[in-house]
Amino acid sequence: MVVITLQRNKCIGCNYCVELAPNQFQMSKKDGKSVLLHSKDKKGFFTVKSNDDIIFEACDQASKACPVNIISVKHI
């Protein structure tokens, strides 16, 4: 299982996550910040749990590219 977490309130809208993992992230037209698709919000932390291990690589690259380090990707 893969767990992806986005701390959206700290997003600066650089768009790296969307470029590297377009199936998991998109930019909000309202505020220009990243949105983690199909996520659940818990106190500003948006989380997705998926059994699809294929998404790990792209999301891990997005996490490493994020200049403000607000994306967490873990295998559990």
Side-chain angles (χ1 to χ4, degrees), residues 1-2 48-55:
M1 178 175 280
V2 177
V48 168
K49 294 180 182 178
S50 175
N51 290 321
D52 185 2
D53 287 343
I54 296 170
I55 66 172

Side-chain angles (χ1 to χ4, degrees), residues 2-3 18 29-31 33 39 41 46 50 55 68:
V2 177
V3 179
V18 176
K29 292 180 181 177
K30 289 184 179 180
D31 62 8
K33 293 184 177 188
S39 63
D41 180 16
F46 292 80
S50 175
I55 66 172
V68 287

Side-chain angles (χ1 to χ4, degrees), residues 1-2 12-14 19-20 26 28 31 34 55 58 62 69 72-73:
M1 178 175 280
V2 177
I12 61 171
C14 71
E19 291 177 22
L20 294 168
Q26 71 180 29
S28 169
D31 62 8
S34 179
I55 66 172
N69 297 316
S72 167
V73 182

Side-chain angles (χ1 to χ4, degrees), residues 4-6 8 24-26 34-40 46-48 59:
I4 306 159
T5 304
L6 171 70
R8 191 171 186 277
Q24 295 304 126
F25 296 94
Q26 71 180 29
S34 179
V35 174
L36 180 57
L37 301 175
H38 313 293
S39 63
K40 294 183 180 179
F46 292 80
T47 303
V48 168
C59 292

